[in-house]
Amino acid sequence: MLQRIAAALAIGAAASAPSLTRNIDALAIGPEQAPTRNGGRHRTVAQDQRRAAKRRATRRAKRLGHR
């Protein structure tokens, strides 16, 4: 993101001030996604496995009549 802003500043510095603001606006600066370690998934595989194990245990307990 900073590289894109720097590029817009460099392009705008060579041109007029209105051109600079147009270049910056064209970048559509917004919140940048943080890099993830798990391929963009919201939860890790381990979390999904724990959740599935808990779900199986709960269903088994209900089936056997435990509370």
Side-chain angles (χ1 to χ4, degrees), residues 54-64:
K54 183 176 181 179
R55 188 178 305 125
R56 284 192 306 269
T58 302
R59 288 179 180 166
R60 181 177 185 274
K62 287 181 179 180
R63 187 176 65 242
L64 296 176

Side-chain angles (χ1 to χ4, degrees), residues 17-40:
S19 175
L20 172 64
T21 56
R22 252 186 278 116
N23 287 332
I24 291 176
D25 290 339
L27 292 175
I29 299 170
E32 195 168 335
Q33 292 289 334
T36 59
R37 297 179 309 198
N38 56 355

